[in-house]
Amino acid sequence: MGYKTKEWRNSMRVTLDYNNMTDTFLGAQGFTAKKLASFNRKATAAFRYVQENRGKDELYMGWTELPYNQDEIVADILATAKEIRNKFQYFVVLGIGGSALGPIMAFNALCHLHYNDLPKAKRKGPKFYVEDNVDPVRMRDLLDVIDPAKTCFNVVSKSGATSETMTQYLIILDLLKKAGVDVKENVIFTTDEKKGNLKKISDEVGGIKSYILPDGVGGRFSQLCPVGLLPAAVVGIDIKGLLAGAAYMDRVCRYSSMNKNPALMCAVLQIAAMEEGKNIGVMMPYSDNLKFLADWYCQLWAESLGKNVTLDGKPCNVGQTPVKSLGVTDQHSQVQLYTEGPFDKVVTFLSLKKYACEMPIPHGCENIPDVAFLGGHTMEELIQAENAATAYALTKAGRMNYTLWIPELNAFTLGQLLFLFELQTAYAGAMLNINTFNQPGVEEGKKATFALLGKAGYADKKKELDSLPEKNQNCII
């Protein structure tokens, strides 16, 4: 395992290049050294806040210690994953939000892009699915391609009261009973250690295999705990490498100076841009494997920073809207807006220095210059050239952008990216003086859903919904 040697770890370091955020490259649209220096005090205070509160469950900052405190859990997960690979043909995660986005992201990043289509001998593991919605068509179509009796279902919910996840569980439970399968044989819970509905169900059934979602770890910060580690291990991802990469980035970011701490600098760049009206943050990976990392980041950034009150109770309505984009694909759909539209965006490029393969482009069509010039190059060269060209075009147009350079994509470098983004988010929240780790804005929709479905205790909310004005038919055309 390469990550055990210092030389290899350093060769795999993810680095930040923010030249294209500065006045040297953007002119009047860029930050001066003086402007960035004006954030020194605020950045140092944010760093200290995060450091002083590391590991505090009551503040939901237990995620900071996940790279260091899970040796026994990891050993158990690896053993369980081996059993699952030997016993089951399918592995299905039932969850929503971070419980689903994390496993999807890691699977897409580190497994074959057509993993489920590979022959079993090449997959070396069960077919993998993550169900994170309650669209009935989606559930029907899943059941068309799996056999529940041959499937391990990982039900992920801290409270066991997540309506979407528990709906899925009830459907699967019914199917398993009809097939004569003991739920304990085919279901694993990831939930709270001492309370919640999944704990009650496990106790009633007589002990369903369960992993703990730690108290101090919110869903969007949970990829590096059993929520994400079990699914990753089942499909053969090196989960020790993920945690080692996270620990490495944690050490890289041990400095209080933003000029030495890439996560802190990323936070400063975004906060400084937001202060100048750049309220849209575009994440643009130039890798199909990293496509869903942008989805995962969108939840992390939006749910953490979109708040309407500060820690001291003052109204604020802060946050930056995250947008996902994929290079090269979205050069042909979104980049026109980014280069010539409003000056309200910051683009973060995720750029690979080395892809898993090169894929040579053969010579051909020699009588057509527009095509012939491609021959003799590789697809790796082409995508890297298009990445550089897009960054150049944005910079020439005065549009802020910066790049996170990834030497190559593996478990270690992915672990670095995850921890960097988590730290960046924590620093940014501290700089905005908000609670980064709650999500009160989600609750109103949940309560309204409960009321509409007649859940006990929500009669007043149902009356509130029923008291809405009648629809104006003139507004329906």
Side-chain angles (χ1 to χ4, degrees):
M1 296 180 183
Y3 53 83
K4 291 188 176 181
T5 69
K6 182 178 180 180
E7 182 180 12
W8 187 89
R9 291 195 300 272
N10 290 341
S11 74
M12 288 292 127
R13 177 172 172 170
V14 172
T15 55
L16 165 66
D17 179 352
Y18 64 95
N19 276 286
N20 292 347
M21 299 288 287
T22 68
D23 61 337
T24 302
F25 286 82
L26 293 180
Q29 293 293 335
F31 295 134
T32 63
K34 183 178 180 180
K35 173 69 174 179
L36 289 178
S38 71
F39 283 86
N40 278 333
R41 181 176 297 179
K42 185 179 286 189
T44 300
F47 174 84
R48 288 176 178 165
Y49 176 85
V50 173
Q51 285 297 106
E52 290 168 1
N53 292 292
R54 287 182 66 113
K56 291 185 178 179
D57 288 347
E58 65 274 18
L59 296 179
Y60 274 83
M61 289 189 64
W63 57 271
T64 60
E65 307 313 301
L66 293 176
Y68 311 106
N69 61 8
Q70 298 188 97
D71 288 350
E72 291 184 13
I73 296 168
V74 166
D76 187 275
I77 286 173
L78 290 172
T80 300
K82 184 177 180 180
E83 292 176 7
I84 291 169
R85 287 195 297 271
N86 290 333
K87 182 178 178 181
F88 295 101
Q89 294 182 20
Y90 312 94
F91 185 85
V92 177
V93 175
L94 305 180
I96 198 165
S99 302
L101 287 169
I104 291 169
M105 173 272 298
F107 173 65
N108 189 77
L110 298 175
C111 292
H112 193 287
L113 288 174
H114 298 285
Y115 172 93
N116 282 350
D117 297 324
L118 291 172
K120 185 177 180 180
K122 288 189 176 181
R123 272 190 286 112
K124 299 180 180 178
K127 292 187 176 183
F128 182 77
Y129 302 93
V130 180
E131 297 305 307
D132 67 341
N133 208 344
V134 288
D135 184 329
V137 175
R138 179 168 180 162
M139 179 56 74
R140 180 201 66 187
D141 290 356
L142 172 70
L143 297 177
D144 281 342
V145 297
I146 68 168
D147 178 350
K150 298 176 181 178
T151 303
C152 180
F153 296 95
N154 181 203
V155 185
V156 187
S157 173
K158 188 170 183 63
S159 66
T162 310
S163 296
E164 299 86 356
T165 303
M166 297 313 294
T167 292
Q168 296 167 338
Y169 172 72
L170 290 172
I171 292 170
I172 295 306
L173 177 64
D174 183 61
L175 290 172
L176 291 176
K177 287 180 177 178
K178 289 176 179 177
V181 176
D182 186 343
V183 64
K184 289 188 295 185
E185 296 298 318
N186 287 55
V187 171
I188 295 176
F189 289 160
T190 306
T191 189
D192 190 90
E193 182 177 15
K194 298 178 180 178
K195 59 183 183 298
N197 293 329
L198 292 182
K199 179 68 168 61
K200 292 178 184 176
I201 292 169
S202 179
D203 291 343
E204 289 173 2
V205 171
I208 292 175
K209 174 74 175 179
S210 298
Y211 287 102
I212 305 307
L213 205 172
D215 286 339
V217 180
R220 57 189 180 273
F221 288 83
S222 66
Q223 175 56 26
L224 296 175
C225 78
V227 169
L229 296 181
L230 175 62
V234 168
V235 295
I237 292 172
D238 177 11
I239 61 174
K240 290 184 177 180
L242 278 173
L243 293 169
Y248 179 82
M249 181 53 66
D250 191 27
R251 290 191 291 274
V252 168
C253 297
R254 66 188 180 277
Y255 301 102
S256 61
S257 168
M258 64 185 185
N259 295 311
K260 294 182 179 181
N261 181 331
L264 189 56
M265 178 57 80
C266 284
V268 167
L269 293 172
Q270 295 289 5
I271 296 295
M274 289 162 62
E275 289 186 2
E276 296 190 357
K278 293 174 175 60
N279 292 319
I280 299 173
V282 180
M283 176 160 287
M284 194 168 188
Y286 270 75
S287 164
D288 274 66
N289 288 107
L290 292 175
K291 178 178 180 179
F292 290 102
L293 180 59
D295 289 61
W296 173 85
Y297 173 83
C298 280
Q299 185 204 8
L300 180 72
W301 196 244
E303 205 165 62
S304 296
L305 301 188
K307 302 294 162 63
N308 67 359
V309 64
T310 63
L311 288 173
D312 47 359
K314 297 177 181 177
C316 60
N317 296 111
V318 297
Q320 183 190 56
T321 301
V323 173
K324 52 193 178 185
S325 187
L326 178 65
V328 168
T329 301
D330 288 319
Q331 286 176 212
H332 298 267
S333 65
Q334 297 179 23
V335 168
Q336 171 64 33
L337 174 66
Y338 302 161
T339 53
E340 295 189 2
F343 284 83
D344 59 356
K345 302 171 190 69
V346 179
V347 178
T348 303
F349 290 110
L350 301 182
S351 303
L352 288 174
K353 293 182 178 179
K354 181 181 179 182
Y355 288 74
C357 64
E358 290 190 332
M359 195 59 64
I361 303 172
H363 290 282
C365 302
E366 301 300 335
N367 61 331
I368 307 175
D370 288 346
V371 178
F373 84 98
L374 295 167
H377 293 288
T378 67
M379 291 185 77
E380 181 182 53
E381 285 182 90
L382 178 59
I383 195 170
Q384 289 174 332
E386 297 215 41
N387 188 170
T390 302
Y392 167 75
L394 288 172
T395 303
K396 183 178 179 181
R399 312 304 170 122
M400 288 188 169
N401 65 92
Y402 62 88
T403 298
L404 287 166
W405 283 103
I406 307 152
E408 66 181 52
L409 187 55
N410 54 48
F412 185 80
T413 54
L414 182 63
Q416 288 184 65
L417 285 169
L418 300 186
F419 212 77
L420 184 150
F421 290 137
E422 290 175 347
L423 284 173
Q424 174 196 8
T425 303
Y427 295 146
M431 293 172 71
L432 292 169
N433 191 34
I434 58 170
N435 186 335
T436 312
F437 306 104
N438 67 356
Q439 51 277 338
V442 178
E443 297 306 313
E444 184 63 23
K446 288 183 179 180
K447 293 174 183 176
T449 300
F450 296 156
L452 289 169
L453 291 177
K455 183 176 180 179
Y458 290 85
D460 288 343
K461 182 59 65 175
K462 182 63 167 63
K463 290 179 182 177
E464 181 183 320
L465 289 163
D466 291 341
S467 68
L468 290 171
E470 290 291 327
K471 294 282 188 179
N472 183 343
Q473 294 304 310
N474 292 325
C475 296
I476 302 174
I477 59 175

